[in-house]
Amino acid sequence: AEGTTRISGIANQHVKECDRIAAMTAELSKLGVTARNLPDGIEIDGAGSASALLSRLSRSDGEPDAKRAKKETGASMECYDDHRVAMSFAVLGSVCGLTLLDQACVGKTYPEFWDDISRLGVDVAGVATTERASRREASVVLIGMRAVGKTTLGE
């Protein structure tokens, strides 16, 4: 798109499975897209047409845009263990080719997502959660009434 897109009134997206606005801002920057994290939303500067974005991301090797779109840009996108972030980047990957780190996170809400999107002709590479487990520590959340020993158990 041309110009700047501003999405506002979505402050709640800062406190979902991850800070989705910060995630989008950080990951889009890997593609050379300028995005600003705002208290109540996000602003994204347009890259022009899809072919303009592709020409910035891909080698200029004389291939038609349609073929170049199927190539990977080399960008690896973090999904932050958030199914909506992963699915959003899968759609973007249909245009410019991406590697999604942690494709398995979509399983909690839409286990058939990768099968369904591949039926549309989208091929998105990814790394399964189990391959990445050594990169981060596991979290444990203790839920219960007050004064039942959650802190003691947690220690």
Side-chain angles (χ1 to χ4, degrees):
E2 299 283 339
T4 299
T5 300
R6 180 183 167 96
I7 303 170
S8 60
I10 58 167
N12 64 329
Q13 297 303 303
H14 284 292
V15 291
K16 295 295 184 175
E17 285 85 344
C18 71
D19 182 339
R20 290 178 176 155
I21 297 170
M24 290 294 163
T25 302
E27 299 307 305
L28 287 172
S29 72
K30 293 179 181 179
L31 300 174
V33 175
T34 301
R36 288 170 291 288
N37 186 340
L38 306 173
D40 74 329
I42 188 171
E43 278 185 352
I44 304 168
D45 293 340
S49 65
S51 59
L53 175 63
L54 288 171
S55 67
R56 286 197 336 231
L57 297 174
S58 301
R59 294 184 310 276
S60 182
D61 54 11
E63 284 189 274
D65 289 336
K67 282 188 179 179
R68 198 179 318 136
K70 296 295 182 187
K71 287 184 166 183
E72 281 193 32
T73 64
S76 294
M77 311 302 276
E78 181 65 50
C79 297
Y80 303 89
D81 199 28
D82 188 317
H83 59 286
R84 293 185 192 271
V85 171
M87 289 188 277
S88 296
F89 286 127
V91 173
L92 180 58
S94 71
V95 176
C96 60
L98 301 171
T99 298
L100 299 184
L101 305 175
D102 192 12
Q103 287 185 341
C105 66
V106 302
K108 55 184 131 183
T109 57
Y110 190 174
E112 303 85 17
F113 178 77
W114 300 114
D115 294 333
D116 290 346
I117 201 165
S118 69
R119 283 188 199 100
L120 298 173
V122 176
D123 181 27
V124 182
V127 178
T129 305
T130 54
E131 296 175 43
R132 299 184 61 237
S134 62
R135 295 189 207 170
R136 60 182 158 176
E137 294 182 27
S139 297
V140 175
V141 178
L142 299 175
I143 301 172
M145 300 293 290
R146 287 185 300 209
V148 295
K150 294 184 301 294
T151 302
T152 303
L153 179 63
E155 292 171 348

